[in-house]
Amino acid sequence: MQNQRMSEPFSTSTAKPAVKPLTGPQKALRKLGLNRAIDLALHLPLRYEDETSLVKLNDVREGDVAQVEGIVTHSEVKLSGHRQLLVTLDDGTGTCLLRFFTFYPSMQKALAAGNRIRVRGEIRGGFAGHTMMHPVVKPAGGELATALTPVYPTVAGLPQPYLRRAVQAGLARAELHDTIPAQYLHEIDIKPLWNMRKALHFLHNPTPDVSLGALQDHSHPAWQRLKAEELLAQQLSQLQSRRARARLRAPRLAGVYHHSHPVPGQMSPNPPDAEIAAPGEVPSLHGRLLATLPFQLTSAQTRVVTEITQDIARAIPMHRLLQGDVGAGKTVVAALAAAVCVDAGWQCALMAPTEILATQHFAKLVGWLHPLGITVAWLTGSQKTKERREMLALIASGQAQLVVGTHALIQDKVQFRQLALAIIDEQHRFGVAQRLALRTKMTADASDATGVEPHLLMMTATPIPRTLAMSYYADLDVSTLDELPPGRTPIITKVVHDTRRDEVILRIADQIAQGRQIYWVCPLIEESEALDLTNATETHAQLSAALPGVMVGLLHSRMPVFEKRAVMGLFTSGQMAVLVSTTVIEVGVDVPNASLMVIEHAERFGLSQLHQLRGRVGRGASASACVLLYSTGDAPRLGETARARLKAMVETGDGFEIARRDLEIRGPGEFMGARQSGDAMLRFADVTEDAHLLDWARRMAPVMLDAHPSLAEQHVQRWLGGKAEFLKA
Ligand code: ADP
Ligand code: MG
């Protein structure tokens, strides 16, 4: 094989022209999604460097990129350890250590003691005061730059000078005509002067007279134009997908009081007016489920169930996001929707991100629905072949009316007879591709693509602040559970330094004596799964030793599934008092008797993750607590953001408030796990700061689509290129 391949270049046959392999920087450009000229032109500077002036060392702070002139007072090659050139620069107000790990004799000469030099680089702290690693070095006294130098977002292997040239080349080649009619821009005060061409050229090559401030804070009109453009592209693409969806068909899941079984594949088995139960008719599954529940729905639950049932009664596929804080009771809402679907004679699928969660859902739903005569199937990756084969048969024949499972649900082999409602729990844990895959499971026969789609209900416990929902989820309908079931006592949260671990263990013993159960969560350290495990195993050993006679379990992601299931079973049944685990229990687990949650190395968790974890307790009527154990490692104190997160946890238990603060701490870029790939991420606009532009874009999108469909399409293509399709999932 190898030989054949090597002889290819000499072949005289009609072989395709040899494709030149991409160079490192070219690959890096691809990785950044910079394929087309326009992509490069829209790759805007992250910030600008000011080489137009010199600063004094006593004015600089860590993190600044500074240009400094001074005299070299010391220069030596350090041979022990890593060979490096160390140079001390003094500018009369302070000194700075320059470090070079690679250097040439010519550099050593230029950096010899006594020379006057100009350096530019990032100021870092260090034992020896200010340090610069590999600064740019020039002789002192040269002319200063007359314009700001753009600095672009980049990745490893793509140096700024290369990227700068690529961007300039892209800018020269790209088609930059305006796609937004000028009259629409009046109302947001963007003058025709700042057309796309002008704005882009300006942002890549700002003229020397402009203030660095207006450029950095994006208040400059050129930035305003680009932000408006970007927001409009996002709104347009979402509106396009919403309209495309409105043209699709879905089974009507209505007439919940009507008990008929449709011919599979036929639409709308129920007459649309069969909403009211005639006297003597069989009560609906939905009604019967309600009657057997051990609790009354909250009014929020009743409201969202109505929103959902109204949606799925229509022949247009529902795309609804159900958001509700942890413990708000989303599962029962899903069960009621499933009941309506099954009652109408169709199949429903519920997909959960983890095996544990799927198991819990399965148990709960079987408990509720089996007594009503509904067949619930079960599908996961760890299933025995025989059981799986049976389940697949049940699903394909349509006998299984509800199917609960993990990602296993979207594998090729799984064929539904007549899927009409797909429910995705903890949807932010799934990727776009996975959601798409579930939607394509509509019919048993893939060739039978009739434009018919299942209804889609996505559930999440990570509430989305309104501005974000408007922006990123404009193509979705959103239902919100803004009320917790009654009788919950608020969870008391305490932040405790790791040195007081023993006190926490005493507290645990006390809780156990009262018959309560405890979660102890150890962090997932992504760089090192091994370390992650050590942490959990050590804690497990420590707690087992400190709590003689108490069953302490251990749960982590690398355990075989049957073991996980056994451990979870012991904890759920109450035999196991303490469960030490990595973050596998993060989502959805429901053990009402657990009343204390200890989170170790809480400083390493994200805010919404902490909130989710805390939501595992406080599910019963008894008082619950959450202890956030933190450690600062070698540092004297916690970092700024870690502190802000822990503070937020103590101050509020409200998921919406947590989400708001999370957004504040992290910025929207990182916030949206949901759109995963980051493709839909706004790069320039900020939904909070640029709310007026977002409002405008929302109003403008339908106007553009109706009045200027071709410009609208060009606009979306320009901004989102090939990505737009993907975003519709
Ligand atoms: P989540 O929204 O986090 O998925 P769950 O669906 O797991 O929440 O519900 C949390 C707990 O609250 C479960 O034990 C569930 O049975 C219970 N629950 C749900 N709705 C109500 C209600 N209206 N009244 C009392 N308990 C409820
Ligand atoms: Mg849940």
Side-chain angles (χ1 to χ4, degrees):
M1 271 317 273
Q2 192 109 44
N3 284 337
Q4 240 173 350
R5 207 164 250 280
M6 284 177 65
S7 68
E8 249 167 40
F10 304 104
S11 136
T12 51
S13 71
T14 56
K16 290 177 230 138
V19 181
K20 258 206 257 166
L22 293 178
T23 62
Q26 282 170 330
K27 274 191 212 149
L29 284 179
R30 289 274 161 88
K31 198 162 147 197
L32 282 174
L34 304 179
N35 301 310
R36 308 170 300 168
I38 186 69
D39 297 330
L40 284 158
L42 292 175
H43 193 64
L44 294 175
L46 200 58
R47 57 193 169 81
Y48 299 86
E49 263 172 21
D50 191 352
E51 293 175 77
T52 62
S53 63
L54 295 170
V55 294
K56 290 295 174 201
L57 280 170
N58 65 350
D59 288 336
V60 299
R61 280 169 317 172
E62 197 174 329
D64 285 357
V65 173
Q67 182 160 254
V68 184
E69 266 187 22
I71 190 159
V72 175
T73 53
H74 185 78
S75 179
E76 71 165 309
V77 175
K78 189 176 146 239
L79 294 169
S80 61
H82 200 109
R83 187 168 173 270
Q84 53 185 298
L85 174 61
L86 296 175
V87 174
T88 309
L89 180 74
D90 188 330
D91 79 340
T93 70
T95 63
C96 183
L97 180 69
L98 317 177
R99 278 173 187 274
F100 301 86
F101 290 105
T102 49
F103 52 92
Y104 308 100
S106 59
M107 276 173 71
Q108 266 173 276
K109 222 171 130 197
L111 292 164
N115 285 0
R116 285 192 58 80
I117 55 169
R118 176 186 296 174
V119 295
R120 187 171 54 79
E122 187 183 328
I123 298 283
R124 301 203 192 169
F127 298 115
H130 295 320
T131 306
M132 280 190 195
M133 313 282 264
H134 284 262
V136 181
V137 181
K138 289 178 190 168
E143 267 185 47
L144 290 168
T146 51
L148 297 172
T149 315
V151 179
Y152 294 100
T154 189
V155 290
L158 184 58
Q160 285 292 333
Y162 184 99
L163 183 52
R164 254 176 228 146
R165 282 194 303 275
V167 166
Q168 290 298 342
L171 187 61
R173 276 186 296 128
E175 235 289 89
L176 298 177
H177 67 280
D178 277 13
T179 45
I180 310 177
Q183 75 264 23
Y184 297 154
L185 290 160
H186 279 324
E187 45 177 306
I188 40 173
D189 223 18
I190 292 174
K191 306 279 184 291
L193 168 73
W194 291 105
N195 59 35
M196 266 303 260
R197 166 172 298 280
K198 168 97 194 280
L200 281 173
H201 276 275
F202 174 82
L203 291 174
H204 288 295
N205 308 290
T207 47
D209 56 306
V210 66
S211 97
L212 188 58
L215 280 178
Q216 308 282 47
D217 72 6
H218 290 193
S219 62
H220 191 279
W223 271 122
Q224 294 292 313
R225 166 94 200 202
L226 266 296
K227 292 196 281 192
E229 290 258 335
E230 177 180 48
L231 286 164
L232 182 61
Q234 184 196 45
Q235 294 298 316
L236 275 174
S237 102
Q238 299 199 15
L239 185 60
Q240 279 177 330
S241 61
R242 184 185 271 268
R243 288 187 177 183
R245 183 153 51 83
R247 287 191 292 271
L248 297 173
R249 313 298 292 160
R252 284 169 174 276
L253 305 176
V256 296
Y257 293 94
H258 194 95
H259 222 88
S260 77
H261 286 277
V263 183
Q266 224 178 48
M267 303 284 296
S268 184
N270 304 304
D273 57 351
E275 307 261 324
I276 311 294
E281 205 168 346
V282 196
S284 71
L285 267 177
H286 176 273
R288 283 159 61 207
L289 174 54
L290 269 183
T292 56
L293 285 176
F295 47 74
Q296 286 239 303
L297 294 191
T298 63
S299 58
Q301 283 169 321
T302 306
R303 172 171 46 75
V304 305
V305 167
T306 308
E307 285 165 3
I308 293 165
T309 50
Q310 279 173 354
D311 262 15
I312 61 181
R314 300 192 309 155
I316 298 167
M318 167 177 80
H319 274 203
R320 188 170 278 279
L321 180 71
L322 169 57
Q323 54 173 0
D325 209 345
V326 267
K330 293 181 288 294
T331 317
V332 69
V333 174
L336 288 163
V340 173
C341 171
V342 169
D343 219 5
W346 295 81
Q347 284 174 299
C348 174
L350 172 64
M351 181 161 76
T354 65
E355 180 110 17
I356 290 179
L357 191 53
T359 312
Q360 285 226 346
H361 280 331
F362 181 69
K364 192 151 234 171
L365 292 169
V366 166
W368 283 336
L369 299 172
H370 190 72
L372 304 180
I374 297 182
T375 308
V376 187
W378 156 246
L379 209 59
T380 72
S382 68
Q383 227 156 11
K384 294 251 161 55
T385 319
K386 178 162 171 285
E387 191 191 29
R388 158 177 289 249
R389 213 178 296 130
E390 285 167 14
M391 290 299 168
L392 287 175
L394 281 180
I395 297 168
S397 71
Q399 269 170 284
Q401 292 153 299
L402 172 62
V403 186
V404 179
T406 58
H407 299 76
L409 278 179
I410 50 177
Q411 283 164 356
D412 284 346
K413 271 171 272 167
V414 186
Q415 299 199 322
F416 286 86
R417 179 90 169 111
Q418 43 187 17
L419 179 65
L421 175 61
I423 304 176
I424 303 181
D425 195 19
E426 307 293 345
Q427 71 98 24
H428 58 284
R429 302 270 301 243
F430 289 99
V432 174
Q434 292 164 326
R435 290 201 293 266
L436 255 184
L438 193 54
R439 275 170 64 189
T440 59
K441 290 281 175 200
M442 178 71 206
T443 47
D445 181 1
S447 65
D448 184 22
T450 49
V452 179
E453 294 235 341
H455 297 282
L456 194 57
L457 176 64
M458 294 171 269
M459 308 202 287
T460 183
T462 307
I464 299 156
R466 201 184 70 90
T467 44
L468 277 191
M470 264 166 51
S471 158
Y472 293 99
Y473 288 103
D475 59 336
L476 292 184
D477 295 304
V478 179
S479 288
T480 305
L481 283 178
D482 49 8
E483 181 186 354
L484 291 179
R488 303 264 167 95
T489 42
I491 306 166
I492 295 165
T493 301
K494 289 234 156 67
V495 176
V496 177
H497 194 279
D498 194 52
T499 46
R500 289 170 53 202
R501 217 178 158 86
D502 290 347
E503 290 168 46
V504 175
I505 296 176
L506 283 179
R507 170 101 179 251
I508 288 183
D510 185 47
Q511 287 286 304
I512 296 170
Q514 293 175 42
R516 314 239 65 101
Q517 290 171 279
I518 288 101
Y519 292 105
W520 186 302
V521 179
C522 300
L524 185 93
I525 300 163
E526 269 174 34
E527 309 90 73
S528 157
E529 263 191 78
L531 235 174
D532 166 26
L533 220 59
T534 319
N535 191 193
T537 344
E538 274 171 10
T539 300
H540 176 248
Q542 185 192 21
L543 291 180
S544 304
L547 302 166
V550 172
M551 196 194 288
V552 182
L554 175 64
L555 194 66
H556 60 76
S557 52
R558 289 200 296 183
M559 265 159 61
V561 168
F562 72 92
E563 263 183 52
K564 279 191 208 168
R565 211 179 287 156
V567 170
M568 217 42 226
L570 285 170
F571 191 67
T572 313
S573 68
Q575 288 164 269
M576 180 182 285
V578 184
L579 180 62
V580 177
S581 103
T582 55
T583 42
V584 285
I585 62 147
E586 179 189 342
V587 287
V589 178
D590 187 32
V591 180
N593 190 46
S595 61
L596 177 60
M597 164 70 64
V598 181
I599 304 176
E600 186 161 343
H601 281 301
E603 78 282 357
R604 294 192 191 154
F605 290 88
L607 186 50
S608 68
Q609 207 182 4
L610 286 174
H611 179 67
Q612 293 241 340
L613 284 169
R614 176 171 60 183
R616 299 304 118 225
V617 295
R619 302 193 149 219
S622 66
S624 295
C626 174
V627 174
L628 303 173
L629 270 182
Y630 74 98
S631 119
T632 57
D634 298 333
R637 59 194 305 213
L638 274 183
E640 192 84 27
T641 53
R643 214 155 357 117
R645 288 196 295 259
L646 299 186
K647 184 160 176 279
M649 282 294 288
V650 173
E651 287 175 357
T652 179
D654 173 0
F656 281 88
E657 176 61 14
I658 291 273
R660 200 189 59 71
R661 297 226 198 162
D662 201 21
L663 182 62
E664 210 171 80
I665 296 171
R666 293 204 279 169
E670 270 186 70
F671 187 86
M672 305 306 297
R675 295 293 201 194
Q676 277 210 338
S677 60
D679 286 342
M681 226 52 94
L682 293 168
R683 290 182 286 160
F684 313 125
D686 174 324
V687 287
T688 326
E689 247 166 60
D690 304 314
H692 69 295
L693 295 180
L694 176 58
D695 272 348
W696 167 84
R698 276 166 67 77
R699 269 182 292 114
M700 221 32 78
V703 178
M704 279 281 286
L705 266 190
D706 294 335
H708 308 278
S710 127
L711 281 178
E713 185 54 36
Q714 288 168 36
H715 189 83
V716 171
Q717 277 306 317
R718 168 181 284 178
W719 276 92
L720 301 169
K723 293 173 198 155
E725 273 306 304
F726 202 54
L727 297 183
K728 288 177 188 162

